[in-house]
Amino acid sequence: MQLTVWTYEGPPHIGAMRIATAMKGLHYVLHAPQGDTYADLLFTMIERRDARPPVTYTTFQAQDLGRDTAEIFKNAVAKAYERFQPQAMIVGASCTAELIQDDPGGLAKALALPIPVIPLELPAYQKKENWGASETFYRLVRALANQPVERAPRENRRPICNILGPTALGFRHRDDIVEIRKLLGALGIDVNVVAPMGATPADLGTLSAADFNVVMYPEIAKAAAQYLEKTHKQPFVDIVPIGVKATERFVEAVAKLAGVDPAPVLAGAPSRLPWYSRSVDSTYLTGKRVFIFGDATHALSAARIAATELGFKVVGLGTYSREFAREIRAEAAEHGIEALISDDYLDVEAAIQAAQPELVLGTQMERHIAKRLGVPCAVISAPIHVQDFPARHSPQMGFEGANVLFDTWVHPLMMGLEEHLLGMFREDPEFHDGVAPSHLGGKPRESADAVEQATAAPPLAPSPAPPIPASITIDGPAPWAADAEKELRKIPFFVRGKARANTERFARERELAIITVETLYDAKAHFGR
């Protein structure tokens, strides 16, 4: 088993917890040892929820393993029902409790509770969080929406749909729902149920009353939508409306299923992204090299927006969602690159270094990687930090979501250029820290560095450096001369890494013992051809 510091997804019972926490009237009894209750922190601290997840843990201890852990589980289920009085329950085991094979489903069934109890079999050592969320939602839909609900005739009524996919701890799911509702309302379509977020078990029983389904996040809801299509003859739309072009395709597809005219909505598309991307100086956008990594939904959308709506060049594309590897590989082929399918952040870091991008679009992990490499980064996908659950409305989907994307992706590039300009002028005789403000007049103030230098003891004479041979075979990168390092710092930080790598490669191929200013400019001329 590989040990890791960071992980893109938790075990599948965390996915089940995301479904339970998103819903109302549903309770999750998790057979888990003491110590596996850390998951509560994900929702209360990171998502800033005002209530703990509706989860009861058995919290058995080491000494309990020699006794009857099955009895501990049955007692936990009975007490949870008595205390919380849920409409339905789901039961399962954490990755640790899975090893003792107590069969939570069978034990709960033996209690004969007067509510639906849905067992979850989530293989913790083969599957991960998003799969666990998908499987949990599918099991709930299959158990609670198995009886058809008679639909009213289509004549003289507005079309009705369900919105499927948003969960707790999802990346901007709360805000995306608002934008999807706004689009559907503008088309004259009513929403029957939004699930799992905000839905009750009773609501899931009415899913078949809708004419069709909208799948917001295929990782979570596509399996449930396929079941509803097969069982209740409900078609579904799984076009993810992230970006202007995808939103337009989404509107057209939904309008076709609903039998309505999409023209009024498309004609009044309010997104400013197309105009902004045409008006912004091409220095910020055109041909910028971008590396993209995240869950499949957001990585696929980001690649298409980057290439077709902002003029970036996609030099890296990957996902940790192995269930969607085929779709990611097909999209990567469209950009002439090979997809990265991995859940090892060290593989992702190595790929980013090799691609030498000027912008990274990724998860919280890629944000840390990009910071170390000195590359601008925007977060587009879970896993995410508390700062990615803003108090303001900040969607990714719909026309307003496209505006948010433009701001989020382009501003790091602009701020990078501003920071570079500040760095360039830091040593200018008119602008350095020791110069008094021009509007105040008077003598320049002495900087702290100048005062320190004036009062410091005289420096010791440097030892003579050993002679450097004119040419030598070098395995690693050649050392940099001090003036070359200083010249390198004048290059914008967001392309400095690429300049350094190219120069060191240039020096290595020519077996140069040291990199000078001349080497730096020779390499620039060589790779600029």
Side-chain angles (χ1 to χ4, degrees):
M1 180 183 293
Q2 183 180 7
L3 297 179
T4 184
V5 178
W6 286 341
T7 180
Y8 287 98
E9 294 183 272
H13 73 265
I14 299 296
M17 199 174 297
R18 287 174 57 189
I19 302 297
T21 305
M23 293 182 63
K24 301 174 182 177
L26 178 70
H27 199 82
Y28 185 16
V29 178
L30 184 63
H31 200 23
Q34 193 173 39
D36 271 6
T37 58
Y38 69 91
D40 283 6
L41 300 177
L42 296 175
F43 300 92
T44 56
M45 293 184 65
I46 295 181
E47 194 175 10
R48 294 189 270 208
R49 284 186 166 258
D50 58 0
R52 293 182 62 181
V55 181
T56 293
Y57 302 90
T58 56
T59 58
F60 59 84
Q61 302 178 46
Q63 60 264 32
D64 295 320
L65 295 177
R67 306 171 193 168
D68 191 354
T69 53
E71 191 64 28
I72 293 174
F73 178 80
K74 288 195 292 184
N75 289 337
V77 173
K79 289 179 180 178
Y81 171 72
E82 182 181 353
R83 178 182 177 186
F84 297 105
Q85 293 292 305
Q87 295 180 20
M89 297 178 73
I90 51 177
V91 296
S94 72
C95 46
T96 310
E98 183 182 328
L99 300 174
I100 61 177
Q101 300 180 340
D102 270 340
D103 184 22
L107 294 172
K109 185 178 180 180
L111 294 174
L113 296 177
I115 59 170
V117 179
I118 297 97
L120 301 177
E121 295 182 7
L122 307 177
Y125 299 97
Q126 290 82 37
K127 299 293 184 178
K128 294 203 172 181
E129 180 181 326
N130 278 339
W131 183 90
S134 174
E135 179 70 8
T136 301
F137 188 49
Y138 165 74
R139 292 292 171 189
L140 283 167
V141 170
R142 183 164 181 168
L144 302 174
N146 54 0
Q147 298 299 320
V149 176
E150 187 175 351
R151 298 173 199 158
R154 288 292 295 268
E155 296 81 13
N156 301 319
R157 70 167 174 87
R158 287 158 60 102
I160 303 172
C161 75
N162 299 311
I163 299 176
L164 307 179
T167 72
L169 211 65
F171 185 63
R172 309 290 167 82
H173 288 195
R174 173 200 66 189
D175 300 333
D176 285 346
I177 291 174
V178 174
E179 295 304 313
I180 297 302
R181 279 185 173 276
K182 189 184 301 182
L183 287 173
L184 294 172
L187 289 168
I189 301 171
D190 291 334
V191 175
N192 177 43
V193 174
V194 177
M197 186 173 284
T200 65
D203 291 333
L204 296 188
T206 68
L207 285 174
S208 60
D211 300 312
F212 63 95
N213 293 308
V214 170
V215 175
M216 290 177 63
Y217 310 101
E219 291 98 333
I220 307 298
K222 191 166 184 178
Q226 289 171 332
Y227 169 80
L228 291 170
E229 181 180 48
K230 180 179 179 181
T231 307
H232 300 301
K233 305 296 184 278
Q234 287 178 306
F236 64 89
V237 173
D238 61 351
I239 297 172
V240 179
I242 299 181
V244 174
K245 294 183 178 179
T247 300
E248 291 172 346
R249 292 197 305 272
F250 170 83
V251 168
E252 290 170 350
V254 168
K256 184 177 180 180
L257 281 183
V260 299
D261 183 10
V265 174
L266 297 178
S271 179
R272 291 179 288 277
L273 182 147
W275 184 86
Y276 276 165
S277 60
R278 289 193 300 269
S279 67
V280 170
D281 189 333
S282 63
T283 303
Y284 296 128
L285 301 181
T286 307
K288 289 292 185 185
R289 297 166 58 84
V290 60
F291 187 100
I292 300 166
F293 192 87
D295 65 34
T297 289
H298 292 92
L300 287 169
S301 299
R304 293 161 186 164
I305 296 167
T308 64
E309 299 185 35
L310 291 175
F312 293 155
K313 179 176 176 58
V314 179
V315 296
L317 176 61
T319 186
Y320 55 81
S321 303
R322 295 182 181 275
E323 293 84 3
F324 290 81
R326 182 178 300 175
E327 290 86 342
I328 291 288
R329 289 193 176 102
E331 182 64 29
E334 294 288 325
H335 301 278
I337 55 177
E338 184 175 348
L340 173 64
I341 312 298
S342 176
D343 57 3
D344 188 335
Y345 67 92
L346 295 176
D347 290 344
V348 180
E349 181 170 3
I352 292 174
Q353 288 179 305
Q356 293 292 326
E358 295 159 276
L359 176 67
V360 174
L361 303 175
T363 73
Q364 179 183 335
M365 263 81 112
E366 283 67 52
R367 174 162 51 200
H368 290 300
I369 291 169
K371 187 174 183 179
R372 277 204 307 278
L373 299 178
V375 181
C377 178
V379 174
I380 63 165
S381 162
I384 46 184
H385 196 264
V386 61
Q387 69 193 72
D388 299 305
F389 288 96
R392 69 186 184 279
H393 183 62
S394 184
Q396 302 290 285
M397 292 187 176
F399 295 117
E400 183 60 27
N403 294 334
V404 173
L405 291 177
F406 180 89
D407 290 342
T408 307
W409 298 8
V410 175
H411 284 181
L413 293 171
M414 292 181 171
M415 294 306 295
L417 185 57
E418 289 178 13
E419 185 173 330
H420 168 60
L421 292 174
L422 290 172
M424 281 184 62
F425 286 105
R426 190 168 291 137
E427 298 178 6
D428 189 282
E430 294 185 28
F431 296 101
H432 68 77
D433 292 340
V435 176
S438 58
H439 65 283
L440 296 180
K443 296 180 180 180
R445 63 175 182 268
E446 286 188 295
S447 67
D449 291 342
V451 173
E452 184 178 347
Q453 290 172 7
T455 57
L460 298 174
S463 302
I468 299 174
S471 178
I472 188 172
T473 302
I474 301 174
D475 294 328
W480 286 70
D483 57 346
E485 280 277 9
K486 185 175 181 181
E487 192 71 13
L488 179 68
R489 285 196 291 271
K490 295 180 181 179
I491 297 173
F493 75 91
F494 45 85
V495 292
R496 193 178 300 152
K498 181 180 179 181
R500 179 185 286 277
N502 284 344
T503 305
E504 290 177 351
R505 174 183 164 193
F506 180 85
R508 188 163 51 249
E509 290 174 350
R510 286 154 183 77
E511 298 183 352
L512 301 181
I514 191 168
I515 295 174
T516 64
V517 174
E518 289 74 19
T519 311
L520 178 62
Y521 282 101
D522 288 345
K524 178 183 177 183
H526 172 77
F527 288 104
R529 286 197 293 267

